[in-house]
Structures are given as structure tokens and as C-alpha cells.
């Protein structure tokens, strides 16, 4: 029996597969497509996702292929200078197209031993107390202990489970494409700048090799968003919106997106879990979708591995839903709010002007910026110091930097006292005795996802925390 089957070979699925493999879990990824999709749904990574890659030793791969852009304009496209005192050592957006991100994560998942099967479409599933049986389109059946649906907004796994997916129906639709233009870059910039004064759902930007990424409002909400728009439809809508289509031609791909928002009621149903767009959909305002999915995988991976490996506390796997569902709800809420600010009606413009004025206050600017960057996430671990439940940024230690010690995917005790012990948990928790000038706690216990599970200096309290998060002590 396979340990875990993952349906969907996008960034969420591949990140999850790699996290599981770090803990020796047998993983099979089923990807419906034979070849990677060329569609560019994401343009980059925000700070928290950059941190995630740094924690696993992957950041240099992405930095070599991407471009750092200054922080600013995250919230509803309102341009402001970067706020002061951002809580991260990566205060930038890493511009990198999603097909590149997909490729790097797929290569990494394969390196650590993931069994990746393309052209494998899941069409059926059933589960019992011992595992999950999945049926593929070619009639093959596979059996696993757990199944995770990372198969996108139209998730087959979610539909077969029959879980509720409530939310807000689409009221607007946009057409998206990568194509060539005959107009000069100067003309494109001039027209786009003028149009975006009243229509923020319009844009055209170069993506290399003479291609442009174009987004333009659709005439209405289509009955079947799976059907990609034609070049004629895109041309017609560009003329209606901007007075010109810039001579669009030679599309490499076309797609649609809407302002619909939906969130599953449960991330876990027995032995089947959902992650990424399979669990939540929202418009791409603020560029949060890919980041949210990768961070779902980062939260789930070590918990599911602990469950498979037999040492997880009883409620650990359920904490995936408890922690990540509110985060997704918050993202959906902020995209709806940004959509209101980006509308071109008088009320939307009035509220946008007010929010723009408020963002001149550094505290407001920082609050909204860190929300989009996902560095403000606070899981509820109960009463305690400010850092409890938050991720710890990459502090500089005397002997290196913190994230450089987290590449194995294990938990970590950063002990500045040199007096504590992880005996009984050394097969799950790395004990690092070192000091930093950037934090004033005696010691911090970090989960594999970097969130602070305990702070203090009392050995008995530490053991209680170790047991809570990492199960009963063993003989190591």
C-alpha cells in the first residue's frame, strides 16, 4: 500500500510531496496532464513563500531564475513606498512565472524520491478505516493510506468527496492571455496607463521573447469558464475597454478568471485531505493564490508525515484544518475588499481614495503589506508571548543563520541557554545551542514549518510542549 497519493502535480502538490519525502513517506503524485501547462496564473512569490524556500534550501534555485521587485502596490494596486520595519529578511516580491516555479518544484520533488505519474487522471475514490482506493481513467486502481487533493479549483477529489464549497458567485470575469502585439511598447504603456485610471482589471506587460501577458474585462460571466477565450473575443474586449487591441496575434495560451470566492467547510474528510485551490478559490488580486497553496502544503506535510510514521499526537492532523482554514478565509476576505477598491464606480473610487490616504500612515501600510506577504500569520496556540504561534524570521546566529538549519524538515530547538535537552525526541527535533542578537527569548521550539510552538527556559515546560507537538518520547 502506498503511504500517500497526491492528486495534482502543480506547486501545491509538488511542495507537499517533497515535504513528505523528507520524512521518508512513500508518495505517488497523479497528474492528469501529460505535459506541464504553459498558462501563467502566478507571476511570483511573496515574502513568506520566499522564506519557505529558504527554510528548505531551495531559495538559490529560485533567485537564479527570478527577479526581485521592491515591496509596494500589493493592496488593490495602490502604490505606496515600502513601509518600515517589515518582519522579514526578504522584503521583496520575487518575480517568477508559474511554469518556472512548477518546473523547479517538480525537479526537487523528483530529486527527493517522489513517484510522479503524468497522464494519470483520478476519476473515482472510496475510503475505509484502513485507507483510500482511487480509480484512474484507464481503469487502474491504487490503494493508499491517505489521499490529498491538490487538483485545483475544479478539484475532482473535492467533488467526489461531496464536501460543501460555499462562497460568492462570480460577478465579473476577465480574459487572460499570453500573445504578441504589433503596437510599440511606448504605445502599449501610454494607453495602459490611461485606461488603468478607471479600469484596474486591464493590463498588458512584456514577459519576454516578444510576448505580452494581457488581461482585459470580459463582456460578462461565461456559462463555462473551462472554455478558453478566442483571440477574436480578446481583441473585441480590448477595443471596447481601451479603444485598441494593440494588434494582438499569435497567442501561446488563453484563459479566464472571475471574482468568485469559495472555501470548503472541511479540509479533512477521513483519510482524504484538500490543499491549495482544491480547498479555496478567489480572484488573483494581490497575487496570493500560489503562495497560499504552497503554505498549505508546508503546514500539512510534516503533520501528515508524522501521522504516517506513527508518532503524531491524536489531534495533530486535524490542526491542519484548524490553522489553515482561517488563513484562507482571511485571504478570501481581503480579495473581496480589494475588488471593491478596484471597481470603477464612484463608491469604489471614493473608498479607494480613503484607503490610499490611510496607507500614508506607516502602521496601516505595514499592516496591509504584511497581510499580503503572509508574514503576519498567527496560529492560536493559546496564551503566551507575542511570538507564540507565529513564524520566526531568519535570525542571524553566531554560527550561521536560522533557516540554514531547517533544510531537513525537522523541528528545531534554538537554545540560547545551553541548559535544555530534547532527550526522547532527538529523532524528531534538532537541538541547536547558539545565540542571536535579534531575539530576546531564552529558547524557542520551532515546528518544521518554522512556527514557534514554545518559548521559555524551563525543562519541564519544554517536555510538555515536545509531547504536545511531537508525540510521546522514545528511546531515540
Amino acid at each position: 500500500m502506498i503511504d500517500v497519493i497526491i492528486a495534482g502535480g502543480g506547486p501545491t502538490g509538488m511542495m507537499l510531496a517533497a515535504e513528505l519525502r523528507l520524512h521518508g513517506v512513500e508518495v505517488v503524485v497523479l497528474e492528469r496532464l501529460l505535459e506541464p501547462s504553459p498558462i501563467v496564473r502566478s507571476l511570483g512569490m511573496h515574502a513568506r513563500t520566499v522564506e519557505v524556500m529558504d527554510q528548505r534550501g531551495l531559495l538559490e534555485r529560485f533567485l537564479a531564475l527570478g527577479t526581485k521587485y521592491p515591496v509596494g502596490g500589493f493592496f488593490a494596486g495602490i502604490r505606496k513606498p515600502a513601509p518600515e520595519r517589515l518582519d522579514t529578511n526578504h522584503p521583496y516580491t520575487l518575480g517568477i512565472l508559474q511554469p518556472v516555479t512548477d518546473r523547479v518544484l517538480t525537479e526537487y520533488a523528483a530529486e527527493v524520491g517522489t513517484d510522479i505519474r503524468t497522464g494519470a487522471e483520478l476519476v473515482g475514490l472510496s475510503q475505509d478505516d484502513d485507507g483510500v482506493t482511487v480509480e484512474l481513467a484507464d481503469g487502474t486502481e491504487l490503494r493508499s493510506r491517505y489521499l490529498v487533493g491538490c487538483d485545483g479549483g475544479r478539484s475532482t477529489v473535492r467533488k467526489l468527496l461531496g464536501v460543501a464549497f460555499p462562497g460568492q458567485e462570480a460577478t465579473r470575469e476577465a480574459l487572460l492571455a499570453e500573445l504578441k502585439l504589433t503596437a510599440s511598447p511606448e504605445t502599449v504603456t501610454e494607453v495602459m496607463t490611461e485606461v488603468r485610471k478607471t479600469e484596474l482589471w486591464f493590463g498588458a506587460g512584456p514577459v519576454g521573447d516578444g510576448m505580452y501577458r494581457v488581461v482585459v474585462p470580459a463582456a460578462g460571466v461565461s456559462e463555462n469558464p473551462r472554455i478558453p477565450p478566442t483571440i477574436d473575443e480578446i481583441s473585441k474586449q480590448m477595443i471596447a475597454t481601451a479603444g485598441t487591441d494593440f494588434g494582438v496575434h499569435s497567442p501561446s495560451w488563453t484563459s479566464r478568471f472571475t471574482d468568485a470566492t469559495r472555501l470548503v467547510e472541511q479540509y479533512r474528510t477521513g483519510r482524504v485531505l484538500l490543499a491549495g485551490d482544491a480547498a479555496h478559490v478567489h480572484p488573483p488580486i494581490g497575487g496570493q493564490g500560489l503562495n497560499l497553496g504552497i503554505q498549505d502544503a508546508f503546514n500539512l506535510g510534516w503533520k501528515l508525515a508524522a501521522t504516517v510514521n506513527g508518532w503524531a499526537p491524536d489531534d495533530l492532523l486535524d490542526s491542519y484544518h484548524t490553522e489553515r482554514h482561517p488563513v484562507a478565509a482571511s485571504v478570501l476576505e481581503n480579495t473581496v475588499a480589494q475588488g471593491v477598491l478596484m471597481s470603477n464606480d464612484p463608491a469604489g473610487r471614493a473608498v479607494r481614495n480613503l484607503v490610499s490616504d490611510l496607507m500614508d500612515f506607516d502602521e496601516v501600510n505595514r499592516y496591509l503589506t504584511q497581510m499580503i506577504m503572509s508574514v503576519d500569520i498567527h496560529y492560536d496556540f493559546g496564551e503566551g508571548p507575542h511570538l507564540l504561534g507565529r513564524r520566526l524570521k531568519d535570525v542571524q546566529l553566531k554560527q550561521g543563520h536560522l533557516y540554514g538549519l531547517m533544510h531537513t524538515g525537522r523541528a528545531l530547538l534554538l537554545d540560547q541557554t545551553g541548559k535544555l535537552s530534547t532527550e526522547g525526541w532527538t529523532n524528531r527535533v534538532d537541538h541547536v545551542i547558539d545565540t542571536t542578537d535579534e531575539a530576546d527569548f531564552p529558547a524557542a521550539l520551532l515546528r518544521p514549518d518554522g512556527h514557534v510552538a514554545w518559548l521559555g527556559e524551563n525543562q519541564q515546560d519544554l517536555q510538555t510542549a515536545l509531547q504536545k507537538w511531537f508525540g510521546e518520547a522514545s528511546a531515540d
Side-chain angles (χ1 to χ4, degrees):
M1 181 186 291
I2 301 164
D3 288 332
V4 178
I5 291 175
I6 296 172
T12 301
M14 290 305 180
M15 189 72 206
L16 176 60
E19 286 294 287
L20 291 167
R21 287 298 304 145
L22 288 180
H23 298 277
V25 174
E26 181 189 7
V27 184
V28 172
V29 173
L30 304 176
E31 169 51 52
R32 178 178 58 86
L33 300 177
L34 280 170
E35 299 292 336
S37 171
I39 296 178
V40 182
R41 299 195 182 279
S42 168
L43 297 175
M45 297 179 184
H46 289 310
R48 179 54 189 148
T49 304
V50 171
E51 291 182 345
V52 164
M53 299 310 168
D54 198 4
Q55 285 177 245
R56 292 299 180 264
L58 298 173
L59 183 54
E60 293 304 318
R61 304 189 192 194
F62 288 100
L63 291 178
L65 299 170
T67 303
K68 293 181 181 180
Y69 292 102
V71 169
F74 285 168
F75 198 79
I78 298 172
R79 292 288 173 183
K80 297 291 179 182
E84 298 178 359
R85 305 188 313 278
L86 288 172
D87 184 33
T88 180
N89 288 350
H90 300 283
Y92 54 85
T93 298
L94 183 61
I96 186 167
L97 302 182
Q98 181 167 337
V100 179
T101 299
D102 289 351
R103 174 170 58 82
V104 174
L105 288 176
T106 299
E107 291 172 352
Y108 172 55
E111 285 174 18
V112 294
T114 304
D115 181 353
I116 302 170
R117 306 182 187 182
T118 58
E121 182 178 4
L122 185 151
V123 296
L125 70 86
S126 61
Q127 62 174 313
D128 52 43
D129 291 342
D130 299 317
V132 185
T133 300
V134 303
E135 180 185 350
L136 305 187
D138 64 2
T140 303
E141 287 192 349
L142 299 173
R143 181 80 170 159
S144 64
R145 297 172 67 182
Y146 290 90
L147 167 68
V148 186
C150 301
D151 50 343
R154 302 183 182 98
S155 169
T156 298
V157 172
R158 185 189 66 237
K159 292 173 183 176
L160 290 172
L161 278 177
V163 297
F165 198 37
Q168 175 180 300
E169 296 288 348
T171 61
R172 296 190 73 188
E173 181 177 291
L175 311 179
L176 187 64
E178 190 172 292
L179 37 68
K180 293 186 176 181
L181 310 177
T182 58
S184 69
E186 294 78 14
T187 298
V188 173
T189 299
E190 180 182 354
V191 172
M192 186 178 67
T193 300
E194 185 63 28
V195 173
R196 283 181 62 84
K197 291 178 181 178
T198 57
E199 179 52 80
L200 293 171
W201 279 47
F202 176 82
V207 292
D209 297 326
M211 304 294 285
Y212 278 76
R213 190 176 194 260
V214 168
V215 59
V216 62
V221 178
S222 58
E223 291 185 5
N224 187 354
R226 288 178 178 268
I227 300 175
T230 64
I231 188 68
D232 289 339
E233 184 181 357
I234 292 170
S235 172
K236 179 180 178 181
Q237 288 309 114
M238 291 185 72
I239 293 171
T241 303
T244 177
D245 68 356
F246 300 126
V248 294
H249 67 98
S250 306
S252 60
W253 56 264
T254 66
S255 185
R256 306 174 189 267
F257 69 85
T258 73
D259 64 351
T261 58
R262 293 188 178 278
L263 176 61
V264 291
E265 292 184 345
Q266 287 292 330
Y267 278 29
R268 179 188 180 189
T269 303
R271 290 180 173 267
V272 183
L273 302 102
L274 300 170
D277 289 351
H280 38 70
V281 295
H282 56 85
I285 301 172
Q288 300 169 90
L290 175 141
N291 296 271
L292 184 61
I294 286 176
Q295 292 162 37
D296 281 349
F298 206 53
N299 182 283
L300 174 60
W302 71 277
K303 297 174 180 178
L304 185 53
T307 304
V308 169
N309 289 330
W311 58 258
D314 291 341
D315 59 352
L316 183 64
L317 192 55
D318 285 331
S319 74
Y320 166 59
H321 169 87
T322 303
E323 293 175 4
R324 295 304 297 174
H325 191 275
V327 172
S330 177
V331 170
L332 266 61
E333 190 172 70
N334 84 51
T335 58
V336 170
Q338 291 182 78
V340 172
L341 297 178
M342 295 175 71
S343 65
N344 57 11
D345 58 59
R349 290 197 295 272
V351 177
R352 181 180 178 84
N353 290 338
L354 174 60
V355 172
S356 179
D357 289 343
L358 290 172
M359 288 180 69
D360 288 333
F361 293 94
D362 195 68
E363 288 186 10
V364 175
N365 191 11
R366 183 168 57 254
Y367 172 83
L368 294 175
T369 299
Q370 291 192 160
M371 177 174 66
I372 300 298
M373 296 166 72
S374 296
V375 298
D376 68 337
I377 292 171
H378 178 206
Y379 299 142
D380 184 6
F381 295 170
E383 294 294 326
H386 172 76
L387 274 176
L388 187 66
R390 302 177 188 273
R391 102 278 181 262
L392 185 61
K393 72 176 185 178
D394 186 23
V395 298
Q396 184 65 41
L397 305 173
K398 300 301 181 185
Q399 303 174 46
H401 68 107
L402 178 66
Y403 288 0
L405 303 174
M406 304 186 73
H407 295 176
T408 62
R410 288 157 55 92
L412 183 147
L413 175 67
L414 176 56
D415 179 5
Q416 299 198 81
T417 72
K419 300 177 181 179
L420 298 170
S421 170
T422 57
E423 184 179 357
W425 289 273
T426 57
N427 59 345
R428 294 161 241 170
V429 182
D430 292 329
H431 184 188
V432 175
I433 299 175
D434 204 341
T435 59
T436 175
D437 296 329
E438 299 179 46
D440 59 2
F441 51 74
L445 177 63
L446 307 184
R447 305 189 316 183
D449 60 0
H451 281 257
V452 178
W454 173 83
L455 292 152
E457 56 185 327
N458 182 279
Q459 179 66 38
Q460 185 174 353
D461 291 344
L462 170 61
Q463 288 179 282
T464 299
L466 288 166
Q467 185 176 34
K468 172 184 176 181
W469 290 106
F470 308 112
E472 297 293 333
S474 67
D476 289 345

